[in-house]
Amino acid sequence: MKLTVIGCGYLGATHAASMAELGHDVLGMDCDMAKVADLNAGKAPFYERDLDDLLAEHTASGRLRFTASYAEAAAHADLHFIGVGTPQSKTGNAYDLGQVFTAVRQLAPRLHGPAVIVGKSTVPVGTVPRIVDILREFSPAADHIEVAWNPEFLRESFAIEDTLRPDRIVMGFAGQHTRAETLLRQCYSKIIDAGTPTIVTDLATAELVKSAANAFLATKISFINAMAEVCEATGADVMELAEALGHDTRIGRRGLRPGLGFGGGCLPKDIRGFMARANELGAHQALAFLREVDAINNRRRERMIDLAREQCDGTLTGKRITIWGAAFKPDTDDIRDSPALHVAQQLHQHGAEVTVSDPKALDTARKTFPELDFIDDPITAAEGTDLLLHLTEWAQYSQIDPKPLATRVTQPKIIDGRGTLDPTRWRNAGWTYRALGRPNSPRS
Ligand code: UGA
């Protein structure tokens, strides 16, 4: 099938490459010329496992091209996926839908015959009617254009896997047995035929599924982090608590990892955007709990700063602090709303000399936080430090031998913000080991 993907960020570039992998003839469109050049050269403008390989394979095979031209995109296919960003608005909690509406406005006058527009971006419920209005205003073929919604549930760092082998497909249509449904089913036939649960619903439900899913995931994380607060007050161990809870299959262990909380370009802005939309709809009470979910999440970051101050004998001024991790989670170079960098910046503002290390995210972090020091190698970064903070759980940090490291720091003190280091190993190597929600000393 011929199709286009408008917007080639984390979502769009992954979707475009994955659709080429399914055998389609894909044209990706993005107004950023530098990004288009990178993608056409088979290179992702960000780090995502396996994406470079897929881009290289399919730009070479001719099944995948990228352009900055809306005219070319409109002429390429009748099936257009919208995968542009929907960040939090600069003035409040609501979504900024500017990129979605611009994409539709640019595409609309260039569509002269029947076409299907499929939204993948995360949007507030009720966005499709606004898209339809734009089409009516700007497209000569508006009566022949269908809009469908097909939310994306991919996680960064598993983006290709989640696109090609999703745990479900959700499609929302304006009516029954539409052309849009036929095209979308054909597009995903390999995935659907593999037995993937496929939910066909109305447009509002399809839009809402994504908001509800991310709200649930954020709530689960904040739930276990609220338990961490209780553990801190009682001397209990949140890691063991999470394990014990997770064996109940109704609760489940996945997404129940306590620590510094959630960040990234999705969960934080999605719960705020969802609350803002519920307010507009007069349903604010239904989502009032999400305010607390957000507050618990932010308190983890504050707690980390308090704990760091405590470990620095009550003052951060002039203290050397090394942070392992800059990305919002491991295996990505994405630093959007990164808990690690939030803490780094706050510690710097409180007078600490902060050095940050990360295997992938330092280039972007450097540009955004020029006031911090950055060193690639985690051991060199920790040289002479007064306090080490483990804030993004890259697998390689668990491999580092704490024994020789103890001799290279000024004070062998570590706070494990993700609870993935082995406390016994670090304590036996002479370190003072502290973790969020865990006892200060080993169980006797
Ligand atoms: C999230 C959702 O998981 C995807 O399903 C969704 O499609 C995506 O947002 C999106 O809206 O596009 P992502 O932001 O890539 O995906 O990352 P997650 O793996 O969900 O992690 C989010 C944050 O929560 C990270 O900072 C992570 O460290 C934290 N987290 C995650 C925890 O603190 N504990 C956990 O148990 C899980």
Side-chain angles (χ1 to χ4, degrees), residues 1 13 47 157 325:
M1 286 175 83
Y47 172 71
S157 77

Side-chain angles (χ1 to χ4, degrees), residues 146-167:
E146 286 177 48
V147 182
W149 216 259
N150 167 225
E152 187 56 69
F153 303 104
L154 62 82
R155 296 158 297 166
E156 284 176 28
S157 77
F158 295 96
I160 307 280
E161 176 69 16
D162 285 351
T163 307
L164 292 174
R165 279 169 286 280
D167 44 23

